Amino acid sequence: MTLSIYSASIPVFKQILASLSAILDKADSHAAEKKIDPSALLSFRLYPDMLPFVRQVQIATDFAKGCGARLAGAAVPAYEDSEQSFAELKARIAKTIAFLDALAQADIDGSEERSITTGSGEKTKHFTGQSYLFHYALPHFFFHATTAYDILRHNGIEVGKKDFIGSY
Amino acid sequence: MTLSIYSASIPVFKQILASLSAILDKADSHAAEKKIDPSALLSFRLYPDMLPFVRQVQIATDFAKGCGARLAGAAVPAYEDSEQSFAELKARIAKTIAFLDALAQADIDGSEERSITTGSGEKTKHFTGQSYLFHYALPHFFFHATTAYDILRHNGIEVGKKDFIGSY
């Protein structure tokens, strides 16, 4: 029995990104029903010096695409970070899932000990594939995905943990 | 090169639990400095029907000990859920880390395809070791650990993402 680093990464990102997409639908419907300006939710921060909702979703997708690409030895796709609506954030998630789907399992499996470098200058970090996935990318990904959920929950969107965990 | 399910689980739980313990210290000091009753933070919820801070920390430790035990084929230790202070929550985290440390890597490695059952009655869920870890235990663990962080952050405790990610 062996464990595949592909199974430990791509399907996990996809599970939570799909959940997040469905949660965005609920937030969008909630805003429409309650006549809330969607930008009030999209720009909401849990504290003034925290990042707003839209950035939480953007960064969650960044860790998913960045991790998938680096494990596969592929270039990390650049996104514009210009989303201004729930629909645009959903499109960003869909684009991220499509990118993950296009990565070949054979390129990712075997990357456990591959050297991975992120950042530049003083912020350069060195990892192996597995330390990058388990100790850096997944924690950051879950941190931003959960904070996005918490922002909506704090604003009364009717979602629960089942919506976050999703289907597996 | 192979990936070890031990490396993908126990050190990840320990990393974030150690972070959470250090964050609890900051919350405790903040409350003392600002003359805030600690129970105002311990009982804080981001929304009235969400779980309070103390439960978020308890449940995060539950997923860590539950996952570690089940992957090792050991009994899941029962905790009393009686914590009423930051010090008591820190003790719970320390107890959880000590439990994880006592699990033998040899008992956990090889559990990728082991059948794991959680819950009972209608709530019974069946997993393999790896589906349990990656699609259920880690997402739940990060969900509660991040929400605990978000509650403190929302209340002005001076912590940042680096405190959450911690040392790896």
Side-chain angles (χ1 to χ4, degrees):
Chain A
M1 290 179 294
T2 57
L3 196 60
S4 143
I5 196 167
Y6 181 90
S7 304
S9 54
I10 306 305
V12 180
F13 290 127
K14 287 178 59 185
Q15 171 186 345
I16 303 299
L17 288 173
S19 297
L20 208 48
S21 184
I23 287 169
L24 288 170
D25 277 333
K26 291 198 176 186
D28 206 4
S29 301
H30 177 95
E33 267 170 39
K34 307 282 182 185
K35 304 197 195 314
I36 293 171
D37 181 348
S39 71
L41 297 172
L42 293 163
S43 65
F44 193 91
R45 303 164 191 265
L46 284 174
Y47 200 68
D49 68 352
M50 281 183 85
L51 293 171
F53 179 79
V54 69
R55 289 293 296 139
Q56 303 292 347
V57 176
Q58 286 170 342
I59 299 174
T61 58
D62 286 345
F63 276 101
K65 72 178 162 69
C67 183
R70 292 188 179 101
L71 292 180
V76 180
Y79 292 171
E80 273 192 29
D81 296 341
S82 57
E83 291 82 5
Q84 295 186 11
S85 67
F86 289 114
E88 287 173 9
L89 286 176
K90 275 177 57 93
R92 182 185 179 110
I93 291 174
K95 187 166 60 172
T96 305
I97 291 175
F99 174 73
L100 297 176
D101 275 334
L103 296 172
Q105 175 159 1
D107 290 338
I108 290 181
D109 281 338
S111 66
E112 295 86 38
E113 302 303 329
R114 182 179 304 159
S115 169
I116 287 183
T117 303
T118 66
S120 59
E122 284 185 6
K123 289 196 166 180
T124 303
K125 291 178 194 295
H126 299 286
F127 301 93
T128 60
Q130 61 176 303
S131 72
Y132 173 65
L133 172 62
F134 295 123
H135 295 283
Y136 193 77
L138 278 179
H140 279 273
F141 172 76
F142 277 114
F143 179 89
H144 291 286
T146 304
T147 300
Y149 169 95
D150 282 343
I151 288 173
L152 294 180
R153 196 70 170 74
H154 178 66
N155 281 282
I157 314 306
E158 291 190 358
V159 288
K161 187 167 67 166
K162 272 190 186 172
D163 294 294
F164 180 83
I165 301 297
S167 302
Y168 48 86
Chain B
M1 291 179 294
T2 56
L3 195 61
S4 142
I5 196 167
Y6 181 90
S7 304
S9 55
I10 305 305
V12 181
F13 290 127
K14 285 178 61 186
Q15 171 186 346
I16 303 298
L17 289 173
S19 297
L20 208 50
S21 184
I23 287 169
L24 288 170
D25 277 334
K26 291 198 176 184
D28 207 4
S29 301
H30 177 96
E33 268 171 37
K34 307 282 182 184
K35 304 198 195 316
I36 292 170
D37 181 347
S39 70
L41 296 172
L42 293 163
S43 65
F44 192 90
R45 304 164 192 264
L46 284 174
Y47 201 69
D49 68 352
M50 279 183 84
L51 293 171
F53 179 80
V54 68
R55 289 293 294 140
Q56 303 290 349
V57 176
Q58 287 170 341
I59 299 173
T61 58
D62 286 345
F63 276 100
K65 71 177 164 70
C67 182
R70 291 189 180 102
L71 292 181
V76 180
Y79 292 173
E80 272 193 27
D81 297 339
S82 57
E83 291 82 7
Q84 296 186 12
S85 67
F86 288 114
E88 287 173 8
L89 286 177
K90 275 177 56 89
R92 183 185 178 111
I93 291 173
K95 188 167 60 172
T96 305
I97 291 175
F99 173 74
L100 297 176
D101 275 334
L103 296 173
Q105 175 160 358
D107 290 337
I108 289 180
D109 281 338
S111 66
E112 295 86 37
E113 302 303 330
R114 182 178 304 159
S115 167
I116 287 183
T117 303
T118 66
S120 59
E122 283 184 8
K123 290 197 165 179
T124 303
K125 289 177 194 295
H126 299 285
F127 301 94
T128 61
Q130 61 177 305
S131 71
Y132 174 64
L133 172 62
F134 296 122
H135 295 283
Y136 192 78
L138 278 179
H140 279 274
F141 172 75
F142 277 113
F143 179 89
H144 290 286
T146 304
T147 300
Y149 169 96
D150 282 342
I151 288 173
L152 294 179
R153 195 73 169 72
H154 179 67
N155 281 281
I157 314 304
E158 292 189 359
V159 288
K161 189 167 68 166
K162 271 191 186 172
D163 295 293
F164 180 84
I165 302 297
S167 303
Y168 47 90

